[in-house]
mmCIF file of all heavy atoms in Angstrom:
data_model
loop_
_atom_site.group_PDB
_atom_site.id
_atom_site.type_symbol
_atom_site.label_atom_id
_atom_site.label_comp_id
_atom_site.label_asym_id
_atom_site.label_seq_id
_atom_site.Cartn_x
_atom_site.Cartn_y
_atom_site.Cartn_z
ATOM 1 N N LYS K 259 37.788 24.267 20.133
ATOM 2 C CA LYS K 259 36.705 24.451 21.098
ATOM 3 C C LYS K 259 37.079 23.859 22.479
ATOM 4 O O LYS K 259 36.770 24.386 23.522
ATOM 5 C CB LYS K 259 35.447 23.597 20.603
ATOM 6 C CG LYS K 259 34.716 24.425 19.523
ATOM 7 C CD LYS K 259 33.437 23.707 19.075
ATOM 8 C CE LYS K 259 33.719 22.600 17.965
ATOM 9 N NZ LYS K 259 32.594 22.006 17.523
ATOM 10 N N THR K 260 37.922 22.763 22.413
ATOM 11 C CA THR K 260 38.394 22.185 23.725
ATOM 12 C C THR K 260 39.216 23.185 24.517
ATOM 13 O O THR K 260 39.093 23.321 25.706
ATOM 14 C CB THR K 260 39.239 20.886 23.492
ATOM 15 O OG1 THR K 260 38.352 20.034 22.776
ATOM 16 C CG2 THR K 260 39.751 20.304 24.721
ATOM 17 N N GLU K 261 40.099 23.825 23.823
ATOM 18 C CA GLU K 261 40.912 24.884 24.483
ATOM 19 C C GLU K 261 40.081 26.013 25.115
ATOM 20 O O GLU K 261 40.284 26.392 26.246
ATOM 21 C CB GLU K 261 41.949 25.459 23.498
ATOM 22 C CG GLU K 261 43.070 24.536 23.121
ATOM 23 C CD GLU K 261 43.917 25.090 22.015
ATOM 24 O OE1 GLU K 261 43.351 25.700 21.102
ATOM 25 O OE2 GLU K 261 45.134 24.795 22.052
ATOM 26 N N VAL K 262 39.024 26.455 24.330
ATOM 27 C CA VAL K 262 38.146 27.466 24.851
ATOM 28 C C VAL K 262 37.420 26.957 26.147
ATOM 29 O O VAL K 262 37.337 27.636 27.163
ATOM 30 C CB VAL K 262 37.227 27.983 23.748
ATOM 31 C CG1 VAL K 262 36.078 28.900 24.375
ATOM 32 C CG2 VAL K 262 38.007 28.697 22.703
ATOM 33 N N VAL K 263 36.846 25.696 25.997
ATOM 34 C CA VAL K 263 36.093 25.207 27.194
ATOM 35 C C VAL K 263 37.038 25.087 28.402
ATOM 36 O O VAL K 263 36.622 25.505 29.534
ATOM 37 C CB VAL K 263 35.447 23.895 26.794
ATOM 38 C CG1 VAL K 263 34.986 23.124 28.027
ATOM 39 C CG2 VAL K 263 34.394 24.014 25.744
ATOM 40 N N ILE K 264 38.278 24.596 28.209
ATOM 41 C CA ILE K 264 39.075 24.400 29.346
ATOM 42 C C ILE K 264 39.451 25.696 29.952
ATOM 43 O O ILE K 264 39.514 25.986 31.158
ATOM 44 C CB ILE K 264 40.447 23.636 28.958
ATOM 45 C CG1 ILE K 264 40.076 22.174 28.558
ATOM 46 C CG2 ILE K 264 41.474 23.642 30.078
ATOM 47 C CD1 ILE K 264 39.304 21.392 29.566
ATOM 48 N N ALA K 265 39.751 26.723 29.081
ATOM 49 C CA ALA K 265 40.183 28.042 29.635
ATOM 50 C C ALA K 265 38.964 28.690 30.392
ATOM 51 O O ALA K 265 39.089 29.177 31.485
ATOM 52 C CB ALA K 265 40.500 29.015 28.376
ATOM 53 N N ILE K 266 37.728 28.524 29.895
ATOM 54 C CA ILE K 266 36.627 29.060 30.589
ATOM 55 C C ILE K 266 36.294 28.321 31.888
ATOM 56 O O ILE K 266 36.026 28.893 32.914
ATOM 57 C CB ILE K 266 35.399 29.066 29.623
ATOM 58 C CG1 ILE K 266 35.468 30.100 28.532
ATOM 59 C CG2 ILE K 266 34.107 29.354 30.352
ATOM 60 C CD1 ILE K 266 34.572 29.971 27.421
ATOM 61 N N LEU K 267 36.497 26.936 31.836
ATOM 62 C CA LEU K 267 36.331 26.164 33.140
ATOM 63 C C LEU K 267 37.308 26.700 34.156
ATOM 64 O O LEU K 267 36.906 26.837 35.306
ATOM 65 C CB LEU K 267 36.434 24.741 32.736
ATOM 66 C CG LEU K 267 35.252 24.037 32.080
ATOM 67 C CD1 LEU K 267 35.601 22.586 31.806
ATOM 68 C CD2 LEU K 267 34.017 24.032 33.092
ATOM 69 N N ASN K 268 38.574 26.794 33.737
ATOM 70 C CA ASN K 268 39.545 27.188 34.701
ATOM 71 C C ASN K 268 39.176 28.546 35.354
ATOM 72 O O ASN K 268 39.312 28.688 36.550
ATOM 73 C CB ASN K 268 40.966 27.281 34.071
ATOM 74 C CG ASN K 268 41.632 25.902 33.992
ATOM 75 O OD1 ASN K 268 41.446 25.169 34.952
ATOM 76 N ND2 ASN K 268 42.240 25.585 32.926
ATOM 77 N N GLU K 269 38.833 29.504 34.431
ATOM 78 C CA GLU K 269 38.476 30.796 34.974
ATOM 79 C C GLU K 269 37.258 30.857 35.863
ATOM 80 O O GLU K 269 37.196 31.438 36.893
ATOM 81 C CB GLU K 269 38.378 31.888 33.796
ATOM 82 C CG GLU K 269 39.703 32.027 33.127
ATOM 83 C CD GLU K 269 39.663 33.169 32.153
ATOM 84 O OE1 GLU K 269 38.751 33.875 32.009
ATOM 85 O OE2 GLU K 269 40.717 33.278 31.443
ATOM 86 N N GLY K 270 36.304 30.029 35.445
ATOM 87 C CA GLY K 270 35.029 29.835 36.239
ATOM 88 C C GLY K 270 35.217 29.178 37.496
ATOM 89 O O GLY K 270 34.766 29.572 38.593
ATOM 90 N N LEU K 271 36.050 28.115 37.532
ATOM 91 C CA LEU K 271 36.422 27.394 38.770
ATOM 92 C C LEU K 271 37.146 28.315 39.782
ATOM 93 O O LEU K 271 36.917 28.289 40.946
ATOM 94 C CB LEU K 271 37.244 26.125 38.431
ATOM 95 C CG LEU K 271 36.393 25.016 37.951
ATOM 96 C CD1 LEU K 271 37.155 23.858 37.259
ATOM 97 C CD2 LEU K 271 35.375 24.489 38.861
ATOM 98 N N GLU K 272 38.111 29.185 39.204
ATOM 99 C CA GLU K 272 38.830 30.142 40.057
ATOM 100 C C GLU K 272 37.871 30.986 40.796
ATOM 101 O O GLU K 272 37.950 31.316 41.917
ATOM 102 C CB GLU K 272 39.892 30.878 39.282
ATOM 103 C CG GLU K 272 41.235 30.125 39.187
ATOM 104 C CD GLU K 272 42.119 30.846 38.309
ATOM 105 O OE1 GLU K 272 41.848 32.095 37.775
ATOM 106 O OE2 GLU K 272 43.170 30.232 37.878
ATOM 107 N N THR K 273 36.920 31.539 39.986
ATOM 108 C CA THR K 273 35.928 32.495 40.567
ATOM 109 C C THR K 273 35.061 31.807 41.657
ATOM 110 O O THR K 273 34.875 32.263 42.723
ATOM 111 C CB THR K 273 35.004 32.960 39.420
ATOM 112 O OG1 THR K 273 35.826 33.621 38.430
ATOM 113 C CG2 THR K 273 34.031 33.895 40.009
ATOM 114 N N ALA K 274 34.644 30.552 41.253
ATOM 115 C CA ALA K 274 33.878 29.780 42.254
ATOM 116 C C ALA K 274 34.662 29.474 43.619
ATOM 117 O O ALA K 274 34.095 29.603 44.629
ATOM 118 C CB ALA K 274 33.325 28.373 41.609
#
Side-chain angles (χ1 to χ4, degrees):
K259 284 184 274 187
T260 299
E261 288 171 323
V262 170
V263 168
I264 296 305
I266 291 170
L267 282 174
N268 277 324
E269 293 188 7
L271 286 168
E272 274 172 10
T273 302

